[in-house]
Amino acid sequence: MVVHSQSAALDHCSLIKTCKPTTSVFKGIPVVDLRDPEAKNLIVKACEEYGFFKLVNHGVPMEFFTRLEAEALKFFNLPQSDKDKAGPPDPFGYGFKKIGSNGDVGWVEYLLLNTNPQITSLKSLTVFRETPEIFRSSAVNDYIQAVKRMTFEVVELLADGLKIEPRDALSRLLRDEKSDSCFRLNHYPPCPELQALGGRNLIGFGEHTDPQIISVLRSNNTSGLQICLRDKTWVSVPPDQTSFFINVGDALQVMTNGRLRSVRHRVLAESMRSRVSMIYFGGPPLSEKIAPLASLMAKGEESLYEEFTWWEYKTSAYKSRLGDYRLGLFEKKTGGAAGQ
Ligand SMILES: C=C1C[C@]23C[C@@]1(O)CC[C@H]2[C@@]12CC[C@H](O)[C@@](C)(C(=O)O1)[C@H]2[C@@H]3C(=O)O
Ligand SMILES: O=C(O)CCC(=O)C(=O)O
Ligand SMILES: [Fe+2]
C-alpha cells in the first residue's frame, strides 16, 4: 500500500491511500437464508470460517432501503457548507475524509448516529445544529428499528447454533436500552481521476475490524467491499443491494473465546459510481463485562483474554488507528491467544 502524493490528477484526494489492483470477485461468500430451518447452523459455520456472511430472505422490505438511500443521497448532495453544519462527528454527526480522530483518512463522507432511543441521535444533533431533511424524515429511524429487530433474530439463531444458554445471552445486550450501538451512513463519491492512476484502487475505508458484537451492512449495487480471508488474501464481495452482509465484531470474538473471528474488511472507491452504505453496529451497554460466555467454555478451558468492560475496550479502540489489531492489548500473555 502506498500514500499517493504526486499525481496532480489526484490532488483533491491526496493523503488518501491507494493499493495495488487486487483480487478477483469471491464466489464463496456464505449465503444464509433466514427462513431456512438450517439457518442457525449455517450462521455458525459462516462466522467460524469467515466471520462474515450474506443474509437473504431477511424480511426487511426493500422500500426501507430505497427510502433511506434517497434521503442519504439528498443529504450528501447538499453543498459542503450545509453538510459541515451537521459535523464534526464528535462522536456523532457528519464527517468528511477523516475517520476517527487519530489521523486516518479515506475517500468517504459519512453520518455517524447513535441508535439508543434514550439519546436519539437525530434529536441530539438537531438541538445544536441545523436540520437537513434527513434528520426530520422517518427514514433513518424506520430503517434502524427494522434492522435491529432482524439482528436480534440473527444473534438468537447464532446463540441456538452455538448452544449458548440462555438463548438471549447475546440479543439481550443489543436489546438493552443502554446498548451502546451506533449507525453509520457512508457515501463514497465517484473519483473519475482514478483512471489516471492506471487502475490503482483508492481506499474508501481502510482495513479494520469492527469493535462491537455484530455489524449489519447494506449497500447499493456498487462493488468495493473486500474481506480478508484466514489465509490473509483479500477478496472482493459481489454487491447485492437486496441483502445484508453481516460481520462478526471484536466483542463477539472475545465472547466466544476466539471460536468466531472478527473479520478484517475494507472498502475501495469506484472510479465512476458512488457507493452508499448503511451499517448498524450492535454493541453492549458500556458497563457490560466482555468475557467468554460460560456455556461455551469446555471443562478447564481458559479465557484467551483479560477481563474488560465494553467501556474499557471502546475507550482503547477509539485511541487506536483504524487498522490496528485492537484485541492484542487484551490478550492474556500466556494463553497462546489466536492473534491476528
Ligand atoms: C479510527 C477509528 C475510527 C473508529 C474509531 C477508531 O479509533 C477505531 C475504530 C473505528 C470504527 C470502525 C467501525 C465503525 O465504523 C466505527 C464507528 C467504530 O465503532 O469503530 C469506527 C470508528 C469511527 O469512525 O469513529
Ligand atoms: O461502507 C461500507 O461498506 C463499510 C464501512 C465499514 O466497514 C465501517 O463503516 O465500519
Ligand atoms: Fe467496518
Side-chain angles (χ1 to χ4, degrees):
M1 227 179 267
V2 296
V3 175
H4 177 81
S5 57
Q6 283 149 331
S7 164
L10 273 176
D11 266 357
H12 65 284
C13 23
S14 62
L15 295 179
I16 293 178
K17 288 176 177 170
T18 60
C19 63
K20 290 199 190 96
T22 42
T23 53
S24 48
V25 171
F26 188 56
K27 302 264 169 58
I29 302 289
V31 180
V32 177
D33 179 339
L34 197 51
R35 293 198 209 130
D36 182 342
E38 272 302 300
K40 63 179 185 183
N41 299 322
L42 296 171
I43 292 174
V44 171
K45 192 162 178 273
C47 290
E48 283 178 342
E49 235 167 276
Y50 296 96
F52 185 85
F53 63 94
K54 169 166 143 172
L55 188 69
V56 302
N57 275 325
H58 44 69
V60 179
M62 189 70 189
E63 181 206 326
F64 283 56
F65 300 170
T66 46
R67 209 151 56 90
L68 180 54
E69 199 175 309
E71 284 299 331
L73 280 172
K74 251 196 261 168
F75 174 78
F76 289 122
N77 287 330
L78 289 172
Q80 192 62 45
S81 56
D82 288 355
K83 290 185 282 190
D84 287 339
K85 287 174 191 156
D90 57 356
F92 301 117
Y94 171 75
F96 177 46
K97 287 188 189 168
K98 283 189 187 162
I99 299 173
S101 42
N102 306 312
D104 290 289
V105 287
W107 186 242
V108 65
E109 58 178 339
Y110 57 89
L111 275 170
L112 203 48
L113 306 169
N114 193 307
T115 64
N116 190 325
Q118 308 284 280
I119 328 165
T120 41
S121 51
L122 304 183
K123 279 190 196 122
S124 57
L125 271 182
T126 54
V127 169
F128 302 108
R129 300 176 186 161
E130 306 228 352
T131 55
E133 202 175 322
I134 187 163
F135 300 129
R136 280 178 274 127
S137 92
S138 60
V140 178
N141 274 331
D142 290 351
Y143 178 88
I144 292 175
Q145 294 323 315
V147 170
K148 273 165 97 172
R149 237 177 287 125
M150 182 214 71
T151 309
F152 302 157
E153 195 182 334
V154 170
V155 296
E156 279 170 13
L157 283 170
L158 173 65
D160 272 349
L162 286 169
K163 304 196 173 52
I164 291 173
E165 279 173 3
R167 165 172 211 267
D168 71 350
L170 297 171
S171 62
R172 71 170 181 85
L173 303 175
L174 309 184
R175 286 181 197 273
D176 193 303
E177 60 172 26
K178 294 203 177 108
S179 144
D180 181 41
S181 299
C182 60
F183 182 68
R184 176 169 209 137
L185 278 167
N186 286 333
H187 178 229
Y188 303 86
C191 187
E193 295 88 341
L194 261 187
Q195 311 263 319
L197 273 179
R200 275 194 172 273
N201 297 114
L202 185 66
I203 302 285
F205 206 110
E207 64 176 271
H208 65 284
T209 58
D210 294 343
Q212 293 81 2
I213 295 174
I214 195 161
S215 316
V216 179
L217 180 154
R218 186 263 160 191
S219 77
N220 65 354
N221 240 359
T222 49
S223 59
L225 180 63
Q226 302 193 330
I227 61 168
C228 188
L229 303 181
R230 275 178 178 266
D231 67 4
K232 306 277 192 269
T233 52
W234 284 95
V235 294
S236 297
V237 177
D240 179 350
Q241 61 184 349
T242 65
S243 303
F244 288 107
F245 291 96
I246 316 266
N247 288 0
V248 170
D250 297 340
L252 187 53
Q253 175 168 327
V254 174
M255 294 169 91
T256 59
N257 208 25
R259 180 163 164 190
L260 308 186
R261 289 283 200 91
S262 57
V263 63
R264 274 186 102 68
H265 55 285
R266 67 185 181 192
V267 178
L268 304 184
E270 271 197 24
S271 56
M272 301 311 283
R273 287 185 308 162
S274 75
R275 174 180 171 89
V276 178
S277 59
M278 36 198 84
I279 308 118
Y280 161 65
F281 301 94
L286 288 170
S287 60
E288 189 69 27
K289 280 210 174 99
I290 307 300
L293 296 163
S295 57
L296 272 184
M297 297 292 270
K299 212 170 164 202
E301 184 178 345
E302 289 207 6
S303 173
L304 299 175
Y305 308 93
E306 305 289 353
E307 217 175 75
F308 56 87
T309 62
W310 171 243
W311 182 84
E312 287 166 326
Y313 190 64
K314 193 177 158 180
T315 307
S316 154
Y318 274 68
K319 286 183 191 148
S320 68
R321 294 293 300 262
L322 188 59
D324 287 350
Y325 177 57
R326 285 175 271 283
L327 279 178
L329 284 176
F330 296 86
E331 282 171 354
K332 279 192 183 160
K333 298 285 170 278
T334 52
Q340 245 185 322

